[in-house]
PDB file of all heavy atoms in Angstrom:
ATOM      1  N   TYR A 929     -79.180 135.273  42.408  1.00  0.00           N
ATOM      2  CA  TYR A 929     -80.090 134.358  43.038  1.00  0.00           C
ATOM      3  C   TYR A 929     -81.085 135.182  43.813  1.00  0.00           C
ATOM      4  O   TYR A 929     -80.754 136.101  44.539  1.00  0.00           O
ATOM      5  CB  TYR A 929     -79.372 133.411  43.993  1.00  0.00           C
ATOM      6  CG  TYR A 929     -78.547 132.389  43.372  1.00  0.00           C
ATOM      7  CD1 TYR A 929     -77.166 132.281  43.699  1.00  0.00           C
ATOM      8  CD2 TYR A 929     -79.007 131.457  42.408  1.00  0.00           C
ATOM      9  CE1 TYR A 929     -76.363 131.323  43.079  1.00  0.00           C
ATOM     10  CE2 TYR A 929     -78.240 130.555  41.834  1.00  0.00           C
ATOM     11  CZ  TYR A 929     -76.872 130.425  42.209  1.00  0.00           C
ATOM     12  OH  TYR A 929     -76.077 129.461  41.593  1.00  0.00           O
ATOM     13  N   ILE A 930     -82.404 134.754  43.710  1.00  0.00           N
ATOM     14  CA  ILE A 930     -83.461 135.320  44.552  1.00  0.00           C
ATOM     15  C   ILE A 930     -83.721 134.144  45.533  1.00  0.00           C
ATOM     16  O   ILE A 930     -83.705 133.020  45.134  1.00  0.00           O
ATOM     17  CB  ILE A 930     -84.748 135.579  43.755  1.00  0.00           C
ATOM     18  CG1 ILE A 930     -84.427 136.598  42.684  1.00  0.00           C
ATOM     19  CG2 ILE A 930     -85.838 136.048  44.629  1.00  0.00           C
ATOM     20  CD1 ILE A 930     -85.582 136.717  41.606  1.00  0.00           C
ATOM     21  N   PHE A 931     -83.913 134.477  46.782  1.00  0.00           N
ATOM     22  CA  PHE A 931     -84.262 133.496  47.793  1.00  0.00           C
ATOM     23  C   PHE A 931     -85.691 133.599  48.226  1.00  0.00           C
ATOM     24  O   PHE A 931     -86.163 134.641  48.573  1.00  0.00           O
ATOM     25  CB  PHE A 931     -83.283 133.526  48.950  1.00  0.00           C
ATOM     26  CG  PHE A 931     -81.872 133.387  48.449  1.00  0.00           C
ATOM     27  CD1 PHE A 931     -80.968 134.436  48.606  1.00  0.00           C
ATOM     28  CD2 PHE A 931     -81.392 132.256  47.948  1.00  0.00           C
ATOM     29  CE1 PHE A 931     -79.708 134.406  48.162  1.00  0.00           C
ATOM     30  CE2 PHE A 931     -80.097 132.151  47.466  1.00  0.00           C
ATOM     31  CZ  PHE A 931     -79.241 133.145  47.606  1.00  0.00           C
ATOM     32  N   LEU A 932     -86.444 132.468  48.097  1.00  0.00           N
ATOM     33  CA  LEU A 932     -87.812 132.458  48.448  1.00  0.00           C
ATOM     34  C   LEU A 932     -87.974 131.617  49.704  1.00  0.00           C
ATOM     35  O   LEU A 932     -87.542 130.460  49.822  1.00  0.00           O
ATOM     36  CB  LEU A 932     -88.644 131.901  47.335  1.00  0.00           C
ATOM     37  CG  LEU A 932     -90.137 131.950  47.486  1.00  0.00           C
ATOM     38  CD1 LEU A 932     -90.854 132.130  46.191  1.00  0.00           C
ATOM     39  CD2 LEU A 932     -90.714 130.669  48.170  1.00  0.00           C
ATOM     40  N   LEU A 933     -88.504 132.325  50.800  1.00  0.00           N
ATOM     41  CA  LEU A 933     -88.724 131.580  52.046  1.00  0.00           C
ATOM     42  C   LEU A 933     -90.116 131.151  52.061  1.00  0.00           C
ATOM     43  O   LEU A 933     -91.028 131.993  51.803  1.00  0.00           O
ATOM     44  CB  LEU A 933     -88.460 132.558  53.249  1.00  0.00           C
ATOM     45  CG  LEU A 933     -87.239 133.549  53.142  1.00  0.00           C
ATOM     46  CD1 LEU A 933     -87.124 134.336  54.377  1.00  0.00           C
ATOM     47  CD2 LEU A 933     -85.973 132.707  52.794  1.00  0.00           C
ATOM     48  N   HIS A 934     -90.345 129.907  52.451  1.00  0.00           N
ATOM     49  CA  HIS A 934     -91.726 129.344  52.431  1.00  0.00           C
ATOM     50  C   HIS A 934     -91.998 128.732  53.778  1.00  0.00           C
ATOM     51  O   HIS A 934     -91.200 127.968  54.351  1.00  0.00           O
ATOM     52  CB  HIS A 934     -91.791 128.278  51.338  1.00  0.00           C
ATOM     53  CG  HIS A 934     -93.168 127.661  51.239  1.00  0.00           C
ATOM     54  ND1 HIS A 934     -93.229 126.323  51.074  1.00  0.00           N
ATOM     55  CD2 HIS A 934     -94.398 128.221  51.186  1.00  0.00           C
ATOM     56  CE1 HIS A 934     -94.603 125.982  50.957  1.00  0.00           C
ATOM     57  NE2 HIS A 934     -95.255 127.182  51.059  1.00  0.00           N
ATOM     58  N   ASP A 935     -93.212 129.132  54.281  1.00  0.00           N
ATOM     59  CA  ASP A 935     -93.714 128.556  55.534  1.00  0.00           C
ATOM     60  C   ASP A 935     -94.857 127.590  55.147  1.00  0.00           C
ATOM     61  O   ASP A 935     -95.884 128.050  54.808  1.00  0.00           O
ATOM     62  CB  ASP A 935     -94.195 129.589  56.461  1.00  0.00           C
ATOM     63  CG  ASP A 935     -94.810 129.045  57.773  1.00  0.00           C
ATOM     64  OD1 ASP A 935     -95.029 127.799  57.827  1.00  0.00           O
ATOM     65  OD2 ASP A 935     -95.046 129.821  58.688  1.00  0.00           O
ATOM     66  N   PRO A 936     -94.527 126.242  55.086  1.00  0.00           N
ATOM     67  CA  PRO A 936     -95.572 125.309  54.548  1.00  0.00           C
ATOM     68  C   PRO A 936     -96.788 125.195  55.396  1.00  0.00           C
ATOM     69  O   PRO A 936     -97.815 124.696  54.973  1.00  0.00           O
ATOM     70  CB  PRO A 936     -94.763 123.978  54.451  1.00  0.00           C
ATOM     71  CG  PRO A 936     -93.536 124.176  55.239  1.00  0.00           C
ATOM     72  CD  PRO A 936     -93.318 125.576  55.523  1.00  0.00           C
ATOM     73  N   VAL A 937     -96.671 125.554  56.709  1.00  0.00           N
ATOM     74  CA  VAL A 937     -97.904 125.473  57.559  1.00  0.00           C
ATOM     75  C   VAL A 937     -98.900 126.495  57.226  1.00  0.00           C
ATOM     76  O   VAL A 937    -100.089 126.202  57.069  1.00  0.00           O
ATOM     77  CB  VAL A 937     -97.417 125.627  59.025  1.00  0.00           C
ATOM     78  CG1 VAL A 937     -98.647 125.557  59.961  1.00  0.00           C
ATOM     79  CG2 VAL A 937     -96.451 124.523  59.426  1.00  0.00           C
ATOM     80  N   SER A 938     -98.455 127.723  57.073  1.00  0.00           N
ATOM     81  CA  SER A 938     -99.428 128.767  56.824  1.00  0.00           C
ATOM     82  C   SER A 938     -99.493 129.144  55.304  1.00  0.00           C
ATOM     83  O   SER A 938    -100.337 129.953  54.918  1.00  0.00           O
ATOM     84  CB  SER A 938     -99.017 130.044  57.607  1.00  0.00           C
ATOM     85  OG  SER A 938     -97.646 130.379  57.213  1.00  0.00           O
ATOM     86  N   GLN A 939     -98.646 128.477  54.501  1.00  0.00           N
ATOM     87  CA  GLN A 939     -98.706 128.727  53.040  1.00  0.00           C
ATOM     88  C   GLN A 939     -98.314 130.217  52.697  1.00  0.00           C
ATOM     89  O   GLN A 939     -98.935 130.754  51.791  1.00  0.00           O
ATOM     90  CB  GLN A 939     -99.914 128.314  52.360  1.00  0.00           C
ATOM     91  CG  GLN A 939    -100.032 126.773  52.065  1.00  0.00           C
ATOM     92  CD  GLN A 939     -98.943 126.353  51.080  1.00  0.00           C
ATOM     93  OE1 GLN A 939     -97.801 126.352  51.433  1.00  0.00           O
ATOM     94  NE2 GLN A 939     -99.337 126.007  49.907  1.00  0.00           N
ATOM     95  N   ILE A 940     -97.430 130.815  53.499  1.00  0.00           N
ATOM     96  CA  ILE A 940     -97.008 132.153  53.120  1.00  0.00           C
ATOM     97  C   ILE A 940     -95.559 132.100  52.690  1.00  0.00           C
ATOM     98  O   ILE A 940     -94.812 131.117  52.965  1.00  0.00           O
ATOM     99  CB  ILE A 940     -97.119 133.143  54.382  1.00  0.00           C
ATOM    100  CG1 ILE A 940     -96.309 132.664  55.562  1.00  0.00           C
ATOM    101  CG2 ILE A 940     -98.608 133.429  54.652  1.00  0.00           C
ATOM    102  CD1 ILE A 940     -96.124 133.720  56.587  1.00  0.00           C
ATOM    103  N   ALA A 941     -95.190 133.049  51.896  1.00  0.00           N
ATOM    104  CA  ALA A 941     -93.791 133.116  51.347  1.00  0.00           C
ATOM    105  C   ALA A 941     -93.252 134.572  51.508  1.00  0.00           C
ATOM    106  O   ALA A 941     -94.052 135.537  51.595  1.00  0.00           O
ATOM    107  CB  ALA A 941     -93.819 132.709  49.809  1.00  0.00           C
ATOM    108  N   ALA A 942     -91.929 134.663  51.481  1.00  0.00           N
ATOM    109  CA  ALA A 942     -91.244 135.925  51.436  1.00  0.00           C
ATOM    110  C   ALA A 942     -90.129 135.812  50.406  1.00  0.00           C
ATOM    111  O   ALA A 942     -89.649 134.706  50.210  1.00  0.00           O
ATOM    112  CB  ALA A 942     -90.697 136.374  52.773  1.00  0.00           C
TER     113      ALA A 942
END
Side-chain angles (χ1 to χ4, degrees):
Y929 290 123
I930 301 168
F931 302 114
L932 187 145
L933 321 183
H934 180 224
D935 179 348
V937 177
S938 55
Q939 278 299 69
I940 58 168

